[in-house]
């Protein structure tokens, strides 16, 4: 079904007719899928529908300009484009609508995303890169409006890196940086800040990005006059238009129903972006949305008769059909017959997709019914089990929920039985859970050989000549070693380039490796993350630097919705091994010394969150991650750069293990658990506690996600029988997460002789100044007194009340 991408070559009129008819066939097929898809939702076979009707013809034009190696980063209406590049069949369209969990039948997400969210496979089943230059690529879509924009920037920037940075093995990733990144967005979503931030950044960076705005004048039910100044996004972006004196964008406008003009426009855009590495904005105007925004409502509720009549006349498929008849490409009869054939093909494809989806569930249902029949014969609760069986049997088109729920309810009815039938039922339920649950829960993290959890620890080495240095030098020299070893490594962020970051952990790196590999960015955290995600998806190894931990909130939506879910939502067929570098805690005031770890931990499952206590540990984490294929956030200690550490002799080679804690002081009376800068306070408090007879054991968490995979903390608690978690997040933040892991995952509660304690910061952002820090976050005295009070409760005679 693929559309011919080379429309400039000399072809006969007959060949031209064949090409146009094939395009029309794709457009009508896509429309019929949308129409039938809506009916499938409204009849209950599918949960929700959001379709690409009204956008078919411009997507055909985009597909003609889209070449092998190119990447798409779009929104959830690009089904015609995916069909045109031969990456979406009728059966696959409906498999997505039904949430089929078979990746071969539903290659977009194995049922993890609702229909309309498209992807291609960048990885094989073992997590290894495919040859991205030999295929047409689509980055995995997300629903948040404009959320596709930051990633688009990175996908485009990768071409610039591949074209201009020498020494990188480009075999699977680029042909001289000729690849274009194609973005799509609805006109209303251009109101989002992420759109404007990305547009500005791409103009500054001058990357090969073509941005299509599908404009149908509405955002759900809200007209453009409430969305966009002047009701025209290209009009208000005119200042971005490049000229003879200034770099910028090429801005093109085209009617979304004009087949010929669309093809010419997209060919022009492709040439400019591909050859000149100039971003292009295409404003595709006068589009329609025949079925409204989604299956949740009807557009007749908010469009007047004049608008509806206009949409009927200027529907892009209708206009293309009229043009074909007027130019003699096809007759009315020929097109009518073609349309009838397509309608049947779509109906047949829908039936095939539904059969493929329901057949395995029917088999699972029949297996359980047989087991229930046997169990009922051997149980005193036969009548109740039979009712469960009959209820399940009466469901003609069951879901797995129906099957599993019935089985688990049946287990309650045989709980007192001792029969083989009961054991068979238990075994079936356990096997079913082990088989089915991964269909919905696998691949949150890498399952390949390069998983970060497979990277073994290599300890820092020291010799007699090892010197005490400012800790920042360890990070700096380690980055130097990384950049030498990995030509595809690069770092970028606010102040990361010319001055070598605000703490000089990148001192001299730009001079040594160039502005493309060690670069400054504007103040735009979300698109810094987007640069990293997109470049990592194309085989580069970026480090995206966010100046302070507090500023990561600007980018948290992108980290959470895009980066953290990528491997999961593609069931392991795309990855972005991006390292996010930041620093935090213990600076000055509300906006520069927060500890938002609790919020981060709850929002970024799917990436590793690492909290090294010093720069040697941080450097080890970077080395580990560069050997792996997973994304991570590393929070360096902001007040640790000028402290002295011993320079390792194996810089660039030592590795800090992920998910492994470290005991930094042994003791017998209480286990103290913390991380990062707070550990220095805990260590000082432990020295003072020793003076009054309390021997504390201190454990450095090091890695919050994942957390203590070897369950070493519970071993410590089994020895000390007491536990305290100290953290500078707000109460109920990271300390609550850590406590839950220790008590409920590791079952440490059974070893406790005293109530487990948490000591956190005050429930507000830190006040400014040294005193603000002292009275806002845990101090040595806070740690001492809280622990002392535990022992006062245990033995008030030896530990009389302090105050």
């Amino acid at each position: 079904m693929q559309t011919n991408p080379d429309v400039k070559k000399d072809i006969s009129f007959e060949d031209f007719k064949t090409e146009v008819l094939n395009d029309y066939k794709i457009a009508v097929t896509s429309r019929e899928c949308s129409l039938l898809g809506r009916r499938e939702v409204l009849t209950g076979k599918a949960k929700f529908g959001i379709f690409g009707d009204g956008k078919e013809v411009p997507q055909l034009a985009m597909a003609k300009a889209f070449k092998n190696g190119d990447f798409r980063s779009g929104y959830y209406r690009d089904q015609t484009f995916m069909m045109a590049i031969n990456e979406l069949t009728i059966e696959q369209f409906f498999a997505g609508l039904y949430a089929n969990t078979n990746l071969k039948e539903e290659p977009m997400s194995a049922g993890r995303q609702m229909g309309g969210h498209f992807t291609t496979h960048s990885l094989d089943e073992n997590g290894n890169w495919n040859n991205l230059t030999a295929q047409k690529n689509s980055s995995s879509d997300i629903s948040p409006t404009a959320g596709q924009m930051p990633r688009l920037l990175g996908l485009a920037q990768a071409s610039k890196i591949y074209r201009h940075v020498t020494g990188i093995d480009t075999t699977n990733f680029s042909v001289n940086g000729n690849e274009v990144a194609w973005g799509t967005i609805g006109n209303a979503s251009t109101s989002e800040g992420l759109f404007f931030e990305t547009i500005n950044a791409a103009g500054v960076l001058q990357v090969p990005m073509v941005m299509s705005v599908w404009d149908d004048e509405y955002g759900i039910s809200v007209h453009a006059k409430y969305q966009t100044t002047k009701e025209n996004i290209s009009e208000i972006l005119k200042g971005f238009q490049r000229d003879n004196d200034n770099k910028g964008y090429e801005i093109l406008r085209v009617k979304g129903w004009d087949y010929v003009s669309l093809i010419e426009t997209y060919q022009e855009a492709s040439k400019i972006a591909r050859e000149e590495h100039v971003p292009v904005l295409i404003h595709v105007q006068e589009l329609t949305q025949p079925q409204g925004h989604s299956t949740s409502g009807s557009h007749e509720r908010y469009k007047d008769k004049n608008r509806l009549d206009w949409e009927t006349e200027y529907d892009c498929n209708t206009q293309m059909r009229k043009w074909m008849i007027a130019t003699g490409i096809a007759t009315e009869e020929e097109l009518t017959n073609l349309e009838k054939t397509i309608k049947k093909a779509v109906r047949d494809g829908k039936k095939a997709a539904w059969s493929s989806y329901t057949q395995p569930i029917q088999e699972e249902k029949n297996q359980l019914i047989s087991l229930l029949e046997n169990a009922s014969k051997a149980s005193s609760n036969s009548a109740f089990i039979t009712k469960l069986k009959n209820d399940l049997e009466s469901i003609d088109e069951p879901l797995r929920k129906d099957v599993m729920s019935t089985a688990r309810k049946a287990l309650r009815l045989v709980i007192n039985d001792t029969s083989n039938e009961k054991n068979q039922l238990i075994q079936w339920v356990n096997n079913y859970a082990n088989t089915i649950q991964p269909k919905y829960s696998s691949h949150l993290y890498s399952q390949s050989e390069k998983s970060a959890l497979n990277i073994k620890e290599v300890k820092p080495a020291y010799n007699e000549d090892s010197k005490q240095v400012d800790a920042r030098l360890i990070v700096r020299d380690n980055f130097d070693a990384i950049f030498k070893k990995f030509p595809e490594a690069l770092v970028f962020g606010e102040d990361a380039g010319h001055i070598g970051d605000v703490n000089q952990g990148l001192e001299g790196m730009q001079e040594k490796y160039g502005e493309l590999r060690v670069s400054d960015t504007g103040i735009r955290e979300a698109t810094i993350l987007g640069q990293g995600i997109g470049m990592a998806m194309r085989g580069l190894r970026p480090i995206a630097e966010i100046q302070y931990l507090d500023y990561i909130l600007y980018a948290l939506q992108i980290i959470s919705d895009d980066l953290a879910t990528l491997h999961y939502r593609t069931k392991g067929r795309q990855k972005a091994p991006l390292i996010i570098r930041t620093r935090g805690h213990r600076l000055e005031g509300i906006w520069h010394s927060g500890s938002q770890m609790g919020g981060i931990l709850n929002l970024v499952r799917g990436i590793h969150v690492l909290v090294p206590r010093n720069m040697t540990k941080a450097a080890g984490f970077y080395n580990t991650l560069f050997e792996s294929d997973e994304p991570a956030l590393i929070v360096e200690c902001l007040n640790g750069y000028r402290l002295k550490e011993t320079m390792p002799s194996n810089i660039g080679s030592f590795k800090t293990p992920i998910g492994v804690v470290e005991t930094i002081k042994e003791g017998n009376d209480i286990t103290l658990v913390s991380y990062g800068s707070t550990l220095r306070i805990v260590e000082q408090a432990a020295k003072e506690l020793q003076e009054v007879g309390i021997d504390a054991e201190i454990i450095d968490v090091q890695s919050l996600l994942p957390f203590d995979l070897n369950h070493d903390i519970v071993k410590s608690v089994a020895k000390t029988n007491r536990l305290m978690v100290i953290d500078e997040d707000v109460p109920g933040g990271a300390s609550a997460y850590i406590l839950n892991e220790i008590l409920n995952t590791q079952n440490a509660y059974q070893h406790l002789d005293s109530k487990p304690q948490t000591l956190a910061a005050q429930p507000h952002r830190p006040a400014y100044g040294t005193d603000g820090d002292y009275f806002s976050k845990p101090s040595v005295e806070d740690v001492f007194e809280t622990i002392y009070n535990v022992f006062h409760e245990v033995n008030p005679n030896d530990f009389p009340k302090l105050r």
Side-chain angles (χ1 to χ4, degrees):
M1 192 182 284
Q2 182 173 1
T3 186
N4 184 354
D6 188 2
V7 297
K8 293 295 185 181
K9 67 181 182 181
D10 293 328
I11 58 175
S12 68
F13 183 67
E14 288 303 315
D15 289 338
F16 176 66
K17 283 175 58 175
T18 300
E19 176 69 17
V20 174
L21 282 167
N22 183 61
D23 283 350
Y24 185 68
K25 179 180 178 182
I26 296 169
V28 175
T29 299
S30 178
R31 178 65 61 87
E32 289 300 320
C33 284
S34 295
L35 296 172
L36 190 52
R38 181 180 178 86
R39 288 198 287 271
E40 291 298 278
V41 174
L42 298 180
T43 57
K45 284 186 175 180
K47 195 76 172 178
F48 182 77
I50 192 160
F51 305 111
D53 47 302
K55 315 296 187 296
E56 292 90 350
V57 176
Q59 290 180 26
L60 292 172
M62 176 176 155
K64 288 180 181 299
F66 196 91
K67 296 185 178 181
N68 283 353
D70 287 359
F71 262 87
R72 165 191 167 273
S73 182
Y75 86 144
Y76 37 71
R77 299 194 190 277
D78 291 345
Q79 69 198 44
T80 309
F81 170 82
M82 294 299 291
M83 290 178 174
I85 65 168
N86 212 30
E87 289 293 340
L88 180 68
T89 66
I90 296 169
E91 289 82 358
Q92 289 167 350
F93 173 88
F94 286 101
L97 197 63
Y98 302 140
N100 190 326
T101 58
N102 186 321
L103 190 63
K104 292 182 179 179
E105 295 174 6
E106 203 288 88
M108 301 302 142
S109 72
R112 295 178 179 190
Q113 296 211 89
M114 66 182 179
H117 293 74
F118 304 114
T119 190
T120 54
H121 293 182
S122 299
L123 310 175
D124 65 19
E125 61 186 6
N126 297 315
N128 299 312
W129 290 106
N130 293 332
N131 184 353
L132 304 184
T133 69
Q135 64 183 48
K136 294 177 171 64
N137 303 287
S138 174
S139 60
S140 175
D141 294 335
I142 58 176
S143 288
T145 52
Q148 72 273 27
M149 294 295 300
R151 176 202 329 138
L152 172 66
L153 178 66
L155 292 169
Q157 189 181 4
S159 291
K160 186 172 185 175
I161 298 298
Y162 282 126
R163 180 172 288 185
H164 297 290
V165 175
T166 60
I168 304 175
D169 182 1
T170 64
T171 303
N172 290 328
F173 305 111
S174 181
V175 179
N176 195 35
N178 293 333
E179 302 78 23
V180 173
W182 301 78
T184 67
I185 196 169
N187 57 292
S189 293
T190 63
S191 300
E192 294 277 12
L194 293 176
F195 174 82
F196 282 96
E197 187 173 320
T198 303
I199 291 295
N200 180 61
V204 171
L205 292 171
Q206 290 291 285
V207 292
M209 180 181 102
V210 178
M211 186 66 228
S212 295
V213 179
W214 308 139
D215 191 346
D216 58 26
E217 291 194 14
Y218 284 86
I220 307 182
S221 66
V222 180
H223 190 267
K225 64 185 176 182
Y226 302 111
Q227 304 274 3
T228 310
T229 302
K230 299 184 179 181
E231 302 180 32
N232 189 319
I233 189 62
S234 60
E235 178 68 18
I236 64 174
L237 291 177
K238 282 197 304 187
F240 285 84
Q241 174 66 51
R242 63 177 178 161
D243 55 37
N244 292 334
D245 300 319
N246 299 285
K247 295 179 179 180
Y249 275 75
E250 190 64 35
I251 299 178
L252 307 174
R253 298 176 182 85
V254 64
K255 306 299 185 186
W257 45 263
D258 188 340
Y259 175 75
V260 174
S261 295
L262 283 162
I263 292 173
E264 293 173 348
T265 299
Y266 274 89
Q267 293 297 320
E268 179 184 358
S270 175
K271 180 178 174 60
I272 292 170
R274 203 176 303 279
E275 295 179 4
E276 301 179 49
H277 275 199
V278 169
V280 182
L281 177 82
I282 304 178
H283 187 185
V284 185
Q285 299 172 289
E286 297 189 15
L287 285 170
T288 67
Q289 198 153 279
Q291 297 188 113
H293 176 73
S294 72
T295 53
S296 293
S298 171
H299 65 155
E300 285 84 359
R301 293 168 55 197
Y302 52 86
K303 294 177 183 174
D304 62 25
K305 184 178 184 303
N306 289 336
R307 175 68 192 188
L308 292 171
D309 289 346
W310 181 90
E311 290 198 5
T312 299
E313 181 179 356
Y314 281 90
D315 179 281
C316 62
N317 286 12
T318 299
Q319 287 290 317
M320 183 178 179
R321 191 181 196 275
K322 289 179 179 178
W323 172 79
M324 292 168 66
I325 294 172
T327 55
I329 290 173
T331 66
E332 171 77 32
E333 182 180 5
E334 288 172 335
L335 294 181
T336 299
N337 290 334
L338 176 62
E339 289 156 2
K340 288 180 180 178
T341 301
I342 292 170
K343 285 178 184 287
K344 183 179 185 304
V346 172
R347 287 195 301 270
D348 291 345
K350 184 266 295 184
K351 291 176 183 177
W354 181 250
S355 176
S356 294
Y357 169 66
T358 57
Q359 183 178 348
I361 304 177
Q362 289 285 2
E363 292 173 358
E364 294 155 13
K365 165 189 165 181
N366 293 336
Q367 291 171 5
L368 178 59
I369 285 172
S370 177
L371 290 170
L372 293 176
E373 286 178 347
N374 294 336
S376 68
K377 295 173 184 176
S379 176
S380 58
N381 283 322
S382 175
F384 297 103
I385 297 172
T386 299
K387 184 179 186 307
L388 284 176
K389 176 188 76 72
N390 292 340
D391 288 345
L392 179 61
E393 210 164 16
S394 69
I395 303 174
D396 293 332
E397 295 173 336
L399 301 173
R400 286 195 166 104
K401 169 183 176 293
D402 300 317
V403 177
M404 189 56 159
S405 176
T406 299
R408 294 169 75 177
K409 288 176 180 176
L411 288 181
R412 305 173 198 172
L413 299 173
V414 298
I415 193 168
N416 294 318
D417 295 351
T418 57
S419 63
N420 288 332
E421 290 79 2
K422 169 189 173 180
N423 293 335
Q424 290 172 358
L425 181 60
I426 291 173
Q427 183 179 6
W428 187 90
V429 172
N430 289 338
N431 289 340
Y432 193 71
N434 292 334
T435 301
I436 300 303
Q437 188 65 50
K439 294 180 183 295
Y440 304 94
S441 301
S442 70
H443 293 89
L444 181 58
Y445 297 94
S446 173
Q447 296 180 200
S448 77
E449 293 180 355
K450 290 189 175 182
S451 164
L453 305 186
N454 293 334
I455 310 299
K456 301 300 182 184
E457 180 180 17
V458 176
K459 292 184 179 297
Y462 303 97
N463 53 43
E464 295 180 356
D465 298 329
S466 296
K467 296 179 180 179
Q468 289 279 301
V469 298
D470 285 350
R472 71 172 183 88
L473 298 178
I474 295 174
V475 175
R476 183 199 67 181
D477 290 359
N478 196 76
F479 279 137
D480 190 13
I482 285 172
F483 294 144
K484 285 179 183 176
K485 185 176 181 180
F486 299 97
E488 65 274 23
L490 59 155
V491 62
F492 45 90
E494 297 158 19
D495 301 306
H498 181 63
I499 68 170
D501 88 42
V502 290
N503 299 101
Q504 295 190 287
L506 291 166
E507 180 189 26
M509 294 299 103
Q510 187 180 83
E511 294 177 15
K512 191 168 186 178
Y513 296 102
E515 292 186 8
L516 287 177
R517 292 189 66 191
V518 183
S519 55
D520 290 309
T521 68
I523 299 176
R524 48 174 182 78
E525 286 79 10
T527 46
I528 291 172
L529 258 294
Q531 286 176 252
I533 295 170
M535 286 193 280
M537 292 183 75
R538 290 193 57 192
L540 296 170
R541 293 307 308 265
I543 303 170
E545 179 164 316
I546 303 298
Q547 193 167 87
Y548 297 121
L549 178 62
D550 303 72
Y551 303 167
I552 212 164
L553 296 184
Y554 286 95
L556 193 53
Q557 185 255 321
I558 296 302
I559 300 171
S560 178
D561 287 334
D562 198 355
L563 179 62
T565 66
L566 177 63
H567 200 59
Y568 167 77
R569 71 180 189 267
T570 61
K571 201 175 183 181
R573 292 310 172 94
Q574 288 189 352
K575 63 182 176 182
L578 166 65
I579 299 173
I580 306 166
R581 181 193 183 209
T582 190
R583 53 196 63 79
H585 310 141
R586 303 271 173 185
L587 183 60
E588 295 294 346
I590 292 175
W591 312 118
H592 295 84
S593 55
S595 179
Q596 298 85 2
M597 301 308 300
I600 291 169
L601 288 169
N602 285 308
L603 290 170
V604 303
R605 304 299 169 93
I607 71 172
H608 299 312
V609 177
L610 310 174
V611 282
R613 69 179 183 271
N614 59 37
M615 298 307 150
T616 303
K617 290 290 182 182
F621 277 136
Y622 289 114
N623 296 336
T624 296
L625 290 168
F626 266 90
E627 298 292 336
S628 80
D629 63 356
E630 295 190 86
L633 167 65
I634 297 180
V635 184
E636 297 171 9
C637 292
L638 184 54
N639 59 0
Y641 294 104
R642 302 294 173 180
L643 298 178
K644 299 297 183 183
E645 295 182 36
T646 305
M647 177 67 77
S649 59
N650 58 339
I651 202 79
S653 299
F654 59 88
K655 300 179 182 70
T656 307
I658 289 176
V660 179
V661 303
E662 182 179 356
T663 301
I664 58 177
K665 177 189 176 301
E666 294 190 356
N668 297 304
D669 295 333
I670 188 169
T671 299
L672 307 181
V673 178
S674 190
Y675 62 88
S677 298
T678 307
L679 276 166
R680 290 194 284 275
I681 289 170
V682 173
E683 287 182 283
Q684 180 59 39
K687 292 178 182 177
E688 297 177 12
L689 286 164
Q690 195 86 46
E691 296 172 0
V692 296
I694 300 173
D695 185 18
E697 182 150 297
I698 303 175
I699 295 179
D700 178 9
V701 168
Q702 300 194 109
S703 170
L704 287 167
L705 287 176
F707 183 86
D708 189 13
L709 296 175
N710 297 328
H711 289 191
D712 289 326
I713 295 177
V714 70
K715 300 168 189 174
S716 173
V717 175
K719 176 178 66 173
T720 66
N721 306 120
R722 292 180 178 85
L723 170 67
M724 179 174 291
V725 177
I726 304 99
D727 170 54
E728 59 177 288
D729 197 358
V730 297
S735 59
Y737 160 80
I738 293 170
L739 189 64
N740 177 71
E741 287 291 318
I742 298 169
L743 295 184
N744 293 326
T745 301
Q746 300 187 13
N747 294 322
Y749 66 88
Q750 59 191 330
H751 301 295
L752 292 172
D753 291 338
S754 298
K755 183 181 77 171
Q757 301 270 353
T758 60
L759 176 61
Q762 296 295 319
H764 54 70
R765 294 286 185 92
Y768 172 66
T770 301
D771 286 343
D773 177 85
Y774 183 86
F775 288 100
S776 298
K777 293 192 173 185
S779 65
V780 172
E781 289 73 32
D782 290 332
V783 177
F784 179 96
E785 291 178 7
T786 306
I787 295 169
Y788 183 92
N789 288 338
V790 171
F791 286 88
H792 166 69
E793 291 180 5
V794 174
N795 189 342
N797 290 328
D798 289 350
F799 301 98
K801 189 173 183 179
L802 280 172
R803 59 187 176 98

